[in-house]
Amino acid sequence: MALSGLEIYKHLPKTNCKDCGFPTCLAFAMQLAAKKVSLDKCPHVSEEAKKVLEGASQPPIRLVTIGTGENKLELGNETVMFRHEERFYHPAGIGVLVEDTLDDNALKSRIDKINKLKFERVGREIKIDLIAVKNSSKSAAQFAKVIKAIVEKTKLNLILMSENVGNLKECIKVAKEKKPLLYCATKSNYQEMAQLAKEHSLPLAVHAENLEELADLTQKIVSLGVQDLVLDTGPKSPRKKICDLTYTRRMALKKTFRPLGYPTIVFTQSSEPNDEVCEAAGYVVKYAGIVITKGAEPWQLLPLLTVRSDIYTDPQKPVQVEPKVYEIGAVKKTSPVLVTTNFSITYFTVAGEVEASKIPAYVISCDAEGMSVLTAWAAEKFTAESIAKMLDTSGISGRISHKNVVIPGYVAVLSGKLEEESGWKVLVGPKEASGIPSYLRSMAS
Amino acid sequence: MALELLKERWSSAINVLKVGAVKEEGGTRASAITVGGQTTLPFLLDEGGMPHRPVVAMEIFDVAPLEWPVSLLEPFGDAVKDPVKWAKKCINEFKADLICLTLKGTHPEAENISADKAVELVKNMLKEISTPLIIIGSGDKEKDNDVLARCSQATKGENCLFGLAAQDNFKTLVASCMADDHCIIADSPIDINIAKQVNILITDMGFKPEKIAMHPSTAALGYGMEYVYSIMERSRLAAFVGDKMLAMPFIIFVGQEAWKVKEAAANVADEPGWGDERMRGPLWEAATAVAMLHAGADILVMRHPEAVATVKRSIDSMMKGNND
Ligand code: SF4
């Protein structure tokens, strides 16, 4: 947290002995507040003061881990309200609900379906992270059986949900190696739940209907020795939910209010399949730590996971695609060749228009340090030389029977030089990608 | 101990934009559409107001867009061949708040439909439908300057929303809209400085700022949506602390971008792991729209009836309890 210089000063010895290299304790405190020196430069600070001051340097939203190994899910430790201020760091965990009332066949087909929720797009795999197993049957034996089947058949992380602490206790041995999230501690059961979480070193979800009661409860649980908490304010309208998520994040970041300094979990309320995804998408963009849906259709999860990848993209870094030759459609040796930059939006816009034209073509993305065509051209990152080099080294010549290349209309001025440098015949394409389909069609005819 | 939540109170509001004019105002619309006026980030109704809910315009073309994926064409049937019939279907069956007519066919490289014909269509459209109208050019600057100016003149008093006015081509359209008392869309390429600059250029000509809608660009989910999202958030935050040249409501052309990408359009036969495109396509469009709503979108221009219905329900659910 940001303690002020004066607040820090209160905890220093106030002897002005100068051993830290500063003339006074206050001067040292000011530098500490500005994060310009570290506390260990003062050899005289008491253990107690150290605790307070180091506690204050903990991240405002605790990093909580669910699961183990390479599949583990890390949540929290976010630093900003808006992604443009820095970035969002730990992508929201996305999971699907499984109730333990399913019979064997239904369970098997649900798990099979869930296991298929991984998608390859833009050269990256995106997939769900979690299964939330709900003890709707209220039977410990049934709960254990379903958890066991899930543990055996998936690598996904788990949330174990039961209102009955006894049932959780009994079933934990089936899944504790997977470090599941226990759901959930409430006003009435928190002592037992905290005990269970502590015994097995598991993260614990905490539920209360409003933020005030929630803050109260987390403080009690922390005092029992459990710190890896995930917050839930229960079912309410999506709008209220977004308010809860926003205020939780804001109180943690702007007020360093530790009782709410944890990641959050949300379960969708809508039952209509499209509505459910839209509701979940809202939670993903507005700060949710975990979002659990009932729907498990690929056409539901693909957009939801994509919303997450978009929002958690680092805004400082221009997103780039690998500079290389891309085949769009069933290309032949006579198919046209288009060049563009490796800025992902530029590339995908071009690729999308080529695809829409239904005329197969090669698109070569040139390394322009992730800039768009005009920006790269102005910065001399997209030049006759760099395009010529790409034509030469990308291996495109071996794949086609012609030597014609289409360049973006905005860099028409490069034509002459590029013809000289490369020996290719240069054709000037449209300025905007939206003109590509008609351009390609007229080329073909 | 009572927990006091930290609430933001902003000093400035987003402009209120009214599209369409009723009889008393010199137009012929049954009612106008009003957006904007927010004093809070999207849907944080506990700390500020959203006096006007976001609206959905359905986009139709002057020529049948036969290149659209089947899953998008299907719900309209033969109506896509007749813009007026198409618009009516959108309003009556699919509950569009207003219509966005894109004059794509006027492009010299498309059907090169004449300005006369475009004017005829626009006039006929206004006669046949009762909602406000958004009119968008073909993207060919020269032709747009002719076609849109003529359409503006022919619809004087109707308070249509015309677009797009961009940094390198705004004067003709601004002059027309000002003379004929229409609203205008200020277009910019995912760049907050240019967005502001276009608004300055337009208002410098004497155009009223409260008749401008901003288009900060649109990108589909998975294809740069987050860039637009952050530009919108930055722009809103600046407006709330007093930047009048960023205080215009947003218009976002969701349908046009979402349906370009293969995640929306591809057949399940080509992408078996992605599920039925009849479910996936509309949801891709709806999910893009929902992300834009959470960034502050005021007017969403959309295409698929199922996506429109989903997004309207989403708006309802987010506005619920406005007064509690
Ligand atoms: S070393 Fe510690 S006690 Fe001595 S002046 Fe610095 S801060 Fe004060």
Side-chain angles (χ1 to χ4, degrees):
Chain A
M1 112 130 103
L3 277 186
S4 73
L6 274 179
E7 283 165 317
I8 295 174
Y9 173 69
K10 285 186 203 145
H11 297 279
L12 294 178
K14 306 193 189 73
T15 54
N16 301 336
C17 74
K18 301 189 175 60
D19 288 355
C20 55
F22 293 91
T24 62
C25 292
L26 183 60
F28 179 65
M30 291 300 179
Q31 294 299 307
L32 262 181
K35 298 206 166 72
K36 294 221 170 91
V37 290
S38 68
L39 185 60
D40 54 20
K41 287 280 183 292
C42 168
H44 312 296
V45 66
S46 73
E47 278 309 309
E48 208 175 309
K50 223 183 233 170
K51 239 190 184 164
V52 176
L53 296 174
E54 275 166 3
S57 64
Q58 291 286 314
I61 300 173
R62 190 175 172 85
L63 184 72
V64 175
T65 305
I66 300 172
T68 57
E70 61 180 45
N71 264 342
K72 73 172 185 247
L73 177 64
E74 289 187 322
L75 306 165
N77 202 5
E78 297 297 337
T79 53
V80 291
M81 295 300 295
F82 302 102
R83 55 188 292 287
H84 65 259
E85 295 174 314
E86 194 171 315
R87 67 170 295 189
F88 292 171
Y89 285 96
H90 294 100
I94 291 179
V96 172
L97 189 73
V98 175
E99 300 196 64
D100 71 350
T101 40
L102 295 178
D103 66 34
D104 290 356
N105 279 334
L107 177 65
K108 188 178 171 298
S109 69
R110 181 121 175 124
I111 297 176
D112 286 347
K113 187 168 229 165
I114 291 172
N115 275 334
K116 291 197 188 110
L117 296 175
K118 36 181 120 165
F119 309 91
E120 172 91 18
R121 59 172 303 280
V122 193
R124 254 180 76 193
E125 189 183 63
I126 54 174
K127 54 181 189 200
I128 65 161
D129 313 283
L130 296 145
I131 292 184
V133 199
K134 190 172 179 184
N135 186 204
S136 306
S137 72
K138 307 218 189 305
S139 139
Q142 178 66 15
F143 195 31
K145 189 175 124 192
V146 169
I147 295 171
K148 192 154 173 273
I150 291 173
V151 170
E152 279 166 9
K153 294 203 187 80
T154 82
K155 289 199 169 75
L156 294 167
N157 294 305
L158 288 181
I159 304 175
L160 305 183
M161 304 173 66
S162 182
E163 291 162 6
N164 185 323
V165 187
N167 287 1
L168 280 173
K169 237 180 227 167
E170 255 180 74
C171 296
I172 222 157
K173 53 183 177 296
V174 200
K176 71 172 181 217
E177 307 306 321
K178 297 199 62 145
K179 210 177 164 211
L181 173 67
L182 293 180
Y183 183 98
C184 66
T186 61
K187 204 157 51 184
S188 52
N189 72 7
Y190 75 93
Q191 280 159 320
E192 275 182 286
M193 283 297 275
Q195 178 60 35
L196 188 60
K198 194 172 172 185
E199 191 181 320
H200 300 284
S201 314
L202 299 178
L204 176 62
V206 185
H207 167 270
E209 266 169 42
N210 60 55
L211 296 178
E212 186 167 343
E213 286 176 26
L214 199 53
D216 205 44
L217 202 49
T218 59
Q219 281 166 292
K220 287 179 178 150
I221 294 172
V222 168
S223 72
L224 295 173
V226 180
Q227 295 195 309
D228 288 333
L229 305 179
V230 176
L231 309 177
D232 176 31
T233 55
K236 52 180 81 172
S237 79
R239 180 181 85 69
K240 295 255 177 199
K241 212 71 207 175
I242 298 259
C243 284
D244 281 354
L245 293 169
T246 305
Y247 290 126
T248 302
R249 166 86 62 109
R250 204 189 273 163
M251 289 302 282
L253 293 183
K254 303 286 177 199
K255 290 270 179 186
T256 324
F257 184 63
R258 302 224 168 260
L260 292 178
Y262 302 95
T264 48
I265 182 168
V266 196
F267 297 85
T268 54
Q269 297 295 303
S270 317
S271 45
E272 202 281 333
N274 283 358
D275 293 356
E276 193 186 10
V277 174
C278 290
E279 184 192 345
Y283 301 147
V284 168
V285 301
K286 293 290 177 175
Y287 317 126
I290 298 175
V291 179
I292 303 294
T293 67
K294 299 175 285 277
E297 296 298 330
W299 49 266
Q300 291 180 297
L301 272 300
L302 178 61
L304 184 57
L305 291 167
T306 308
V307 168
R308 175 182 69 180
S309 348
D310 282 3
I311 286 300
Y312 282 85
T313 302
D314 184 352
Q316 331 285 335
K317 225 172 34 198
V319 189
Q320 308 185 5
V321 294
E322 191 191 333
K324 65 169 192 182
V325 180
Y326 293 85
E327 293 180 0
I328 316 287
V331 285
K332 294 189 297 231
K333 284 197 162 257
T334 51
S335 298
V337 175
L338 293 80
V339 293
T340 187
T341 74
N342 69 330
F343 178 40
S344 68
I345 297 187
T346 302
Y347 167 75
F348 286 117
T349 314
V350 171
E353 293 292 350
V354 171
E355 194 161 306
S357 78
K358 304 229 161 73
I359 296 174
Y362 297 92
V363 177
I364 305 182
S365 86
C366 298
D367 187 356
E369 297 180 12
M371 290 183 223
S372 64
V373 169
L374 271 180
T375 322
W377 172 74
E380 300 195 352
K381 303 292 177 200
F382 191 55
T383 60
E385 289 82 2
S386 72
I387 300 172
K389 192 166 155 237
M390 197 60 196
L391 288 173
D392 189 33
T393 58
S394 62
I396 182 67
S397 307
R399 296 157 79 167
I400 52 171
S401 59
H402 61 88
K403 267 199 136 184
N404 302 326
V405 60
V406 181
I407 63 170
Y410 278 121
V411 292
V413 293
L414 298 178
S415 306
K417 186 104 187 274
L418 179 56
E419 292 206 332
E420 247 168 63
E421 292 275 336
S422 65
W424 286 54
K425 179 163 183 245
V426 175
L427 308 169
V428 176
K431 283 185 178 168
E432 299 293 345
S434 54
I436 289 175
S438 61
Y439 179 83
L440 287 181
R441 275 194 287 272
S442 67
M443 231 178 130
S445 62
Chain B
M1 187 193 75
L3 173 64
E4 201 174 316
L5 296 174
L6 176 61
K7 304 213 166 158
E8 305 270 15
R9 301 277 176 214
W10 304 103
S11 59
S12 300
I14 302 306
N15 296 346
V16 174
L17 170 76
K18 194 170 127 191
V19 182
V22 298
K23 207 164 160 214
E24 297 74 49
E25 297 159 330
T28 60
R29 305 301 83 208
S31 60
I33 289 279
T34 309
V35 292
Q38 296 92 326
T39 53
T40 179
L41 288 163
F43 312 116
L44 292 183
L45 302 179
D46 293 12
E47 56 186 35
M50 281 179 81
H52 306 289
R53 58 168 56 211
V55 297
V56 180
M58 284 182 81
E59 184 181 22
I60 63 164
F61 290 167
D62 52 351
V63 285
L66 299 176
E67 71 284 3
W68 278 8
V70 176
S71 51
L72 177 55
L73 276 175
E74 234 170 24
F76 302 109
D78 261 356
V80 293
K81 293 183 184 143
D82 177 348
V84 172
K85 223 166 128 192
W86 187 1
K88 283 184 159 172
K89 203 175 174 83
C90 289
I91 296 165
N92 300 331
E93 260 177 66
F94 306 135
K95 309 292 170 221
D97 295 311
L98 66 169
I99 292 295
C100 175
L101 171 62
T102 301
L103 298 169
K104 232 186 158 175
T106 61
H107 198 289
E109 283 167 30
E111 278 75 356
N112 201 12
I113 291 172
S114 69
D116 283 343
K117 278 258 185 288
V119 166
E120 198 182 308
L121 170 61
V122 165
K123 280 169 89 170
N124 194 24
M125 182 70 73
L126 282 166
K127 204 168 85 205
E128 296 287 332
I129 68 169
S130 60
T131 68
L133 188 62
I134 304 171
I135 301 169
I136 306 292
S138 67
D140 182 86
K141 292 185 183 100
E142 247 170 74
K143 187 75 183 275
D144 280 354
N145 283 341
D146 180 29
V147 170
L148 296 180
R150 299 271 312 277
C151 289
S152 163
Q153 207 178 14
T155 57
K156 187 173 173 122
E158 292 284 8
N159 193 22
C160 299
L161 175 58
F162 275 90
L164 306 171
Q167 193 178 20
D168 60 351
N169 186 37
F170 62 95
K171 286 190 183 145
T172 313
L173 189 57
V174 173
S176 299
C177 288
M178 201 152 61
D180 306 320
D181 205 20
H182 293 299
C183 302
I184 203 166
I185 300 170
D187 181 52
S188 53
I190 322 189
D191 183 317
I192 193 168
N193 299 315
I194 299 178
K196 184 169 170 167
Q197 180 62 21
V198 180
N199 288 334
I200 293 174
L201 290 169
I202 293 175
T203 47
D204 274 356
M205 286 180 67
F207 199 86
K208 291 196 191 108
E210 55 284 4
K211 298 204 81 165
I212 302 177
M214 269 198 282
H215 177 231
S217 291
T218 307
L221 178 58
Y223 293 84
M225 172 277 277
E226 72 276 17
Y227 288 82
V228 180
Y229 185 95
S230 283
I231 292 286
M232 291 167 77
E233 282 196 330
R234 285 172 61 193
S235 166
R236 272 291 144 92
L237 291 169
F240 285 146
V241 296
D243 192 333
K244 297 260 176 293
M245 283 300 119
L246 286 170
M248 293 72 179
F250 292 120
I251 182 168
I252 304 291
F253 294 89
V254 174
Q256 143 197 321
E257 295 304 317
W259 285 97
K260 259 187 211 164
V261 311
K262 70 172 183 209
E263 283 80 352
N267 293 324
V268 64
D270 296 330
E271 292 290 348
W274 288 1
D276 189 347
E277 75 271 12
R278 284 182 173 75
M279 308 304 289
R280 181 180 6 100
L283 189 52
W284 199 267
E285 185 182 11
T288 307
V290 163
M292 294 293 98
L293 283 173
H294 284 283
D298 293 279
I299 303 173
L300 296 162
V301 182
M302 301 185 60
R303 289 184 179 171
H304 197 290
E306 195 55 46
V308 170
T310 301
V311 167
K312 293 193 86 168
R313 287 195 302 271
S314 179
I315 294 170
D316 280 344
S317 81
M318 292 311 302
M319 295 299 290
K320 210 179 272 172
N322 195 353
N323 299 314
D324 63 16

